């Protein structure tokens, strides 16, 4: 019986390794690994086989228990990794585990992202679980998996032969990696075992460093010599962060219908429009956009600033305005207060009140939270009670992925082929967001608050990936151009100052961290309290946007170039494009600028870790 069991175990081992290879190949094929996906699949299967064989030398029972556990964990990890990668273009980190509970709040988005190949990585697990539950070692039951294993078992092999062949195959796997054209040892960091073990180690170890940061590099001088300085002095500041609003919808016409008619009209008078503005977020996505805007700081790469650095000492826009006599800073959001830890983080950020879904009358509910229109309408009653000037900060949610706003709120007449598509739903949601903002501005006027306010709005992050051919084709047709990586990162930034007399489009490259210094110039406020990593876009001669999400740290967008550094660090995946015509450059020409972008983000990360953003 021992020989039979040993041979049967060998057949099972071969079957499990083969299944893991197939799953790995399927997984790596959907991750941008520059054509190395067959090799990575072999490596993952080879490492698994090596571990199985090594443990079997000690105990077959232990080897079986451990390796089936590993097989199940790997299958689950591949599914999670693949779904996350399809939305964020990078692998998830263990640093995000404390934020997992928030996945229930975006369940519609997750279900929309699931594809058949994701589920294929889990499809055999119930069979293995049933096999384990009904297993009798003394009486091998001939279920489907056992029959397959026995077919793979040609003869009853001695244990020594099994291990010799197994270790030889593992050696061949490593040799293949060494000989594979263009493959470098550092690329092993992308292999599943290596990535997750390294990630867990990195998250668990002490993150403090000896990095010395010169804060004088991130201080702002007076902007008093700017012609824009103080043109909105002592006005109410109303900032609106619009969920998933990309810049291509501004001015776009779909089948004779303006997508954003209210914003289009706004641009014609008393408005500054920044058309080369790009989102800058971290692991907290939407929450990190507002963090960057209100503090002119980069959020952590893999974690939400509101979660990781909740209780740090801050002196961002809410505090700076109150230093200048503003009556208070007030936040409004039409989703639950605990999402992204806002209810805890906002007081530390300097907000005196936070009105969330729980505080509003839930009279017009959307798939994710209260409707934007209802939030704006109900908040007006509070704005009327605030002493002027005040700071009101809004975070909308109605246009959240998958953009399925109620039928009653859809006014764009779509072509039949766009009905039910992500592109068609997105067009409807952006039109709704525009109408909600238009009505809000009218309500401000009726309340007598409009003329004494500065109204700024921007998009928090992208909505439609250009890696989806269906999206790329339709957006390109809508805009009579192409849907490049610039368009994906490009979100609108609009500042409306009633009666200022300016109607200007500023094309210098900018991002979320530039909002605070730009607004401070308009308000006539100099910041000598805290570091700022952004610049005043009204007077900037050149732009430089450091990116770290959906691309790796070291990526940047300048006035002339888009430089992409991939998370996998595979040389073939480095890209550099001309912003003018999307022609490609040699990425090696921009390594110095890439290092500069990387160092700025690392400097900010060090200051956040040390709770040291205040100036002496």
């Amino acid at each position: 019986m021992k020989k039979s069991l040993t041979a049967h175990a060998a057949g099972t081992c071969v079957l499990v390794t083969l299944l893991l290879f197939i799953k790995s190949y399927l997984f790596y094929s959907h991750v941008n690994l520059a054509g190395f996906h067959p090799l990575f699949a072999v490596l993952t299967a080879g490492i698994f086989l090596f571990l199985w064989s090594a443990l079997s030398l000690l105990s077959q029972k232990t080897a079986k228990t451990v390796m089936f556990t590993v097989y199940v964990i790997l299958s689950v990890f591949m599914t999670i990794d693949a779904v996350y990668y399809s939305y964020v273009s990078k692998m998830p980190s263990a640093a995000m585990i404390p934020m997992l509970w928030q996945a229930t709040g975006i369940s519609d988005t997750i279900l929309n992202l699931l594809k058949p190949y994701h589920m294929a990585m889990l499809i055999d697990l119930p069979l293995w679980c049933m096999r384990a539950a009904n297993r009798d070692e003394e009486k091998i039951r001939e279920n489907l998996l056992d029959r397959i294993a026995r077919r793979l078992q040609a003869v009853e092999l001695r244990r020594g032969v099994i291990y010799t062949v197994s270790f030889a195959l593992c050696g061949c796997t490593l040799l293949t990696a060494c000989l594979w054209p263009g493959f470098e040892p550092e690329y092993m960091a992308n292999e599943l075992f290596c990535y997750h073990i390294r990630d867990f180690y990195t998250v668990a170890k002490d993150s403090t460093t000896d990095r010395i940061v010169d804060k004088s590099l991130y201080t702002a001088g007076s902007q008093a010599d700017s012609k824009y300085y103080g043109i909105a002095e002592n006005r109410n500041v109303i900032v609106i962060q619009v969920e998933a609003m990309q810049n291509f919808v501004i001015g776009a016409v779909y089948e004779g219908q303006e997508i954003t008619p209210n914003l289009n009209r706004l641009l014609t008078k008393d408005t500054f429009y920044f058309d080369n503005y790009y989102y800058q977020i971290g692991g907290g996505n939407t929450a990190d956009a507002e963090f960057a805007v209100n503090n002119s700081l980069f959020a952590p790469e893999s974690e939400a600033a509101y979660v990781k650095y909740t209780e740090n000492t801050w002196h961002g826009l809410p505090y700076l305005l109150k230093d200048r006599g503003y009556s208070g800073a007030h936040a409004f959001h039409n989703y639950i207060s605990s999402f992204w830890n806002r209810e805890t983080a906002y007081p530390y950020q300097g907000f005196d009140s936070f009105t969330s879904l729980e505080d509003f009358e839930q009279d017009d509910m959307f798939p994710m939270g209260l409707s934007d229109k209802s939030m704006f309408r109900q908040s007006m009653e509070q704005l009327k009670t605030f002493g002027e000037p005040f700071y009101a900060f809004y975070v909308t949610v109605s246009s959240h992925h998958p953009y399925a706003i109620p039928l009653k709120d859809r006014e764009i007449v779509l072509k039949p082929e766009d009905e039910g598509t992500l592109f068609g739903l997105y067009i409807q949601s952006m039109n709704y967001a525009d109408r909600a903002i238009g009505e809000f501005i009218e309500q401000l006027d009726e309340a007598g608050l409009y003329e004494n306010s500065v109204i700024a709005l921007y998009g928090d992050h992208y909505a439609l990936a250009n890696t989806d051919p269906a999206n790329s084709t339709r957006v390109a047709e809508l805009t009579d151009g192409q849907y490049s990586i610039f368009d994906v990162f490009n979100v609108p930034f609009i500042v409306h100052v009633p009666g200022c007399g300016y109607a200007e489009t500023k094309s210098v490259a900018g991002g979320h961290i530039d909002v605070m210094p730009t607004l401070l110039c308009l308000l006539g406020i100099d910041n000598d309290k805290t570091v700022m990593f952004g610049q005043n876009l009204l007077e900037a001669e050149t732009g430089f946007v450091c990116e770290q999400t959906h691309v790796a740290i070291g990526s940047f967008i300048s006035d002339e170039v888009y430089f992409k550094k991939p998370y996998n660090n595979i040389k073939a995946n480095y890209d550099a494009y001309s912003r003018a015509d999307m022609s490609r450059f040699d990425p090696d020409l921009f390594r110095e600028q890439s290092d500069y972008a990387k160092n700025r983000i690392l400097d900010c990360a060090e200051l956040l870790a040390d709770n040291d953003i205040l100036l002496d």
Side-chain angles (χ1 to χ4, degrees):
M1 176 63 72
K2 274 193 174 183
K3 287 185 178 179
S4 175
L5 282 173
T6 299
H8 182 268
T12 303
C13 174
V14 173
L15 172 60
V16 173
T17 304
L18 180 61
L19 288 173
L20 183 62
F21 170 78
I22 294 171
K23 289 183 179 184
S24 299
Y25 186 87
L26 190 62
F27 169 75
Y28 290 125
S29 295
H30 290 84
V31 179
N32 186 16
L33 292 172
F36 292 125
H37 52 281
L39 176 58
F40 278 110
V42 170
L43 288 170
T44 297
I47 292 172
F48 182 83
L49 182 62
F50 173 81
L51 292 174
W52 185 303
S53 303
L55 285 172
S56 294
L57 288 172
L58 302 175
S59 166
Q60 286 196 53
K61 184 176 181 180
T62 300
K64 181 188 71 173
T65 302
V66 171
M67 297 321 295
F68 273 114
T69 302
V70 171
Y71 177 75
V72 170
I73 292 174
L74 273 182
S75 298
V76 173
F77 271 29
M78 278 190 279
T79 304
I80 295 172
D81 292 347
V83 173
Y84 186 83
Y85 187 93
S86 67
Y87 188 62
V88 186
S89 299
K90 71 172 182 178
M91 298 277 278
S93 170
M96 304 178 69
I97 290 176
M99 302 182 287
L100 279 179
W101 68 271
Q102 297 184 116
T104 57
I106 53 172
S107 56
D108 287 345
T109 293
I110 295 173
L111 290 173
N112 186 267
L113 292 171
L114 281 174
K115 299 293 185 290
Y117 82 89
H118 295 144
M119 303 312 299
M121 298 173 194
L122 302 173
I123 197 169
D124 66 317
L125 296 189
L127 291 174
W128 289 113
C129 291
M130 286 188 291
R131 177 182 186 273
N134 299 316
R135 191 71 177 161
D136 183 349
E137 290 295 344
E138 298 301 320
K139 186 177 180 181
I140 299 174
R141 302 181 60 174
E142 290 292 334
N143 62 15
L144 174 63
L145 295 171
D146 286 321
R147 289 197 295 271
I148 295 174
R150 283 184 177 280
R151 287 188 176 277
L152 292 172
Q153 164 204 335
V155 293
E156 291 187 2
L157 300 173
R158 293 182 178 274
R159 182 180 297 189
V161 175
I162 294 172
Y163 298 140
T164 300
V165 172
S166 176
F167 285 115
L169 287 174
C170 295
C172 290
T173 298
L174 296 176
L175 182 62
T176 301
C178 295
L179 298 178
W180 196 283
F183 191 83
E184 299 185 9
E186 64 185 27
Y187 297 167
M188 276 297 293
N190 299 292
E191 190 279 325
L192 274 169
F193 281 103
C194 297
Y195 172 80
H196 283 293
I197 291 173
R198 181 187 182 194
D199 176 61
F200 274 104
Y201 170 76
T202 301
V203 172
K205 74 174 184 177
D206 185 1
S207 61
T208 58
T209 69
D210 296 325
R211 188 179 186 87
I212 304 299
V213 180
D214 182 0
K215 290 197 286 186
S216 68
L217 297 174
Y218 308 113
T219 58
S222 175
Q223 298 288 317
D225 58 346
S226 169
K227 66 179 182 180
Y228 307 109
Y229 188 82
I231 65 172
E233 187 174 5
N234 292 325
R235 292 195 185 204
N236 305 314
V237 177
I238 300 172
V239 176
I240 305 171
Q241 178 170 293
V242 185
E243 173 65 37
M245 178 173 275
Q246 288 187 239
N247 194 50
F248 74 81
V249 300
I250 304 298
V253 178
Y254 175 89
E255 295 297 298
Q257 306 161 91
E258 285 186 279
I259 299 174
T260 58
N262 292 290
L263 294 180
N264 296 344
R265 283 193 296 272
L266 206 64
L267 300 186
T268 64
K269 184 179 180 181
D270 300 330
T271 297
F272 299 97
Y273 172 41
F274 303 88
D275 61 349
N276 277 313
Y277 176 85
Y278 303 90
Y279 66 83
Q280 294 172 292
I281 57 178
N285 294 314
T286 294
D288 282 344
E290 59 188 80
F291 170 79
V293 163
N294 279 297
N295 294 282
S296 193
L297 298 169
F298 300 105
E301 179 189 13
S302 299
E303 299 169 79
Y306 287 168
V307 175
K308 186 171 186 177
Y309 298 118
T310 306
E311 300 181 8
N312 273 26
T313 301
W314 309 102
H315 208 93
L317 195 56
Y319 284 113
L320 290 169
L321 293 178
K322 289 189 289 185
D323 287 347
R324 284 292 293 265
Y326 277 61
S327 65
H330 311 277
F332 300 88
H333 185 36
N334 38 347
Y335 195 51
I336 57 177
S337 59
S338 59
F339 205 67
W340 290 123
N341 201 34
R342 286 186 177 95
E343 64 180 352
T344 303
Y346 274 167
Y348 289 95
Q349 289 290 314
F351 288 105
D352 302 293
S353 69
F354 175 30
T355 306
S356 61
L357 175 64
E358 299 92 333
D359 305 305
F360 288 114
E361 179 185 353
Q362 299 180 21
D363 57 357
D364 186 20
M365 296 299 292
F366 271 35
M368 189 172 181
L370 183 69
S371 73
D372 292 348
K373 286 186 177 182
S374 182
M375 175 184 67
F376 285 135
R377 175 177 49 79
Q378 293 188 52
S379 71
M380 284 303 304
E381 297 306 312
Q382 293 186 59
L383 297 190
K384 294 175 185 177
T385 67
F386 297 153
E388 297 187 62
F390 58 78
Y391 177 33
F393 179 73
Y394 289 86
V395 179
T396 74
V397 77
S398 293
S399 49
H400 194 283
H401 186 281
Y403 321 119
I405 64 173
L407 293 174
K408 67 180 178 61
D409 292 291
R410 302 180 189 182
E411 292 191 359
I412 295 289
V413 179
L414 295 176
K415 297 166 67 174
E417 57 264 38
D418 290 331
E419 288 285 358
T421 67
L422 203 62
F423 170 80
L425 291 170
Y426 180 66
I427 294 302
Q428 294 282 19
S429 70
M430 284 298 98
N431 178 252
Y432 171 82
D434 176 81
R435 283 183 277 124
I437 293 169
E439 290 181 12
F440 178 54
I441 292 175
E442 290 178 0
Q443 291 160 4
L444 287 171
D445 196 17
E446 293 170 1
L449 297 172
Y450 171 74
E451 294 292 342
N452 191 41
S453 297
V454 52
I455 303 166
L457 64 92
Y458 59 91
D460 60 351
H461 53 66
Y462 87 103
L464 302 177
N466 71 332
T467 52
D468 184 335
N471 292 336
S472 298
T473 299
R474 292 301 293 118
V475 174
E477 291 173 352
L478 176 69
T479 58
D480 293 325
Q482 58 183 344
Y483 190 45
S484 71
I485 189 68
F486 293 121
D487 300 302
V488 174
F489 277 95
N490 189 198
V491 295
F493 175 36
I494 298 169
V495 184
H496 181 59
V497 187
C500 73
Y502 293 101
E504 298 181 0
T505 296
K506 301 286 188 178
S507 295
V508 65
H512 286 337
I513 63 169
D514 299 313
V515 171
M516 187 168 94
T518 301
L519 290 179
L520 290 178
C521 175
L522 292 170
L523 297 167
I525 299 175
D526 293 323
N527 175 19
D528 59 358
K529 301 289 187 181
T530 180
V531 298
M532 292 194 300
F533 281 76
Q535 64 174 335
N536 172 17
L537 295 179
L538 292 166
E539 296 291 354
E541 295 181 359
T542 59
F544 193 86
V545 184
C546 306
E547 295 291 359
Q548 64 168 340
T549 298
H550 307 132
V551 287
I553 291 176
S555 301
F556 67 86
I557 301 172
S558 69
D559 292 331
E560 298 83 21
V561 176
Y562 167 76
F563 180 87
K564 171 192 170 186
K565 182 178 179 180
Y567 283 106
N568 54 43
N569 205 31
I570 294 176
K571 290 180 179 178
N573 284 341
Y574 278 78
D575 273 319
Y577 297 96
S578 164
R579 276 187 52 191
D581 57 12
M582 289 303 294
S583 59
R584 299 184 71 160
F585 296 125
D586 179 358
D588 287 333
L589 298 174
F590 305 99
R591 292 301 175 93
E592 185 175 339
Q593 289 170 281
S594 176
D595 288 342
Y596 173 73
K598 177 181 178 180
N599 286 327
R600 286 176 63 83
I601 291 179
L602 293 180
D603 280 354
C604 187
E606 184 66 26
L607 293 178
L608 292 178
D610 295 339
N611 192 13
D612 186 26
I613 64 165
L614 300 183
L615 299 174
D616 295 333

